[in-house]
Amino acid sequence: MSTCFTVGVFDLFHYGHKELFRRAKECANNGGGVSKLIVAVQDGNSILKYKPNAKIIYTTKERIEMVEQCRYVDQVVIYTDVDKIVKEFDFDIFIVGSDQIHDGFLRAEKYCLQHGRKIFRLPRTMGISTSVLRERLIKLE
Ligand code: CTP
């Protein structure tokens, strides 16, 4: 059994998020046998602590429930700091997006490598993001 773990905000759940989960599940499947994908969704208050001007549309509960509905996802948990949450779960592969590079991620990756976990950095799906969707919605008004 191979388990993948990934984290993010996942506001306005979109095609790029679904693609991330599909590819993450594929990574878990590459080892053969049963695979599992755990997704950690960042708590709204902790997002605002790091980015006070962040414009979050969905509540934490709404974001968790949207991610839970994706068929590639086996378990959803909430987190505040990426370098803390990676210590709380048992997994084989830490899946990170190409944009997930701030200090917390560097600390999380270091911990994972020291504890025998693999790290797979996946490219983003082009042309879609929460920010792009927000801009599209503004233009519709
Ligand atoms: N992601 C992706 N492809 C996209 C958008 C996001 O693979 N088009 C991945 C990110 O790399 C990250 C995860 O989805 O691993 C969560 O990203 P998040 O920041 O929640 O979504 P974004 O759409 O990037 O949000 P924003 O525009 O606010 O940065």
Side-chain angles (χ1 to χ4, degrees), residues 6-12 14-21 23 40 51 55 63 79 95-100 105 122-134:
T6 196
V7 310
V9 177
F10 306 108
D11 198 16
L12 293 181
H14 58 67
Y15 181 77
H17 296 147
K18 186 277 292 180
E19 276 296 285
L20 172 76
F21 298 152
R23 290 176 295 152
K51 295 182 185 168
K55 293 182 176 62
R63 287 182 287 113
Y79 79 100
I95 302 282
V96 284
S98 52
D99 53 315
Q100 294 181 320
F105 278 95
L122 299 186
R124 290 168 65 85
T125 300
M126 298 299 287
I128 183 91
S129 72
T130 301
S131 313
V132 164
L133 283 179
R134 204 183 294 115

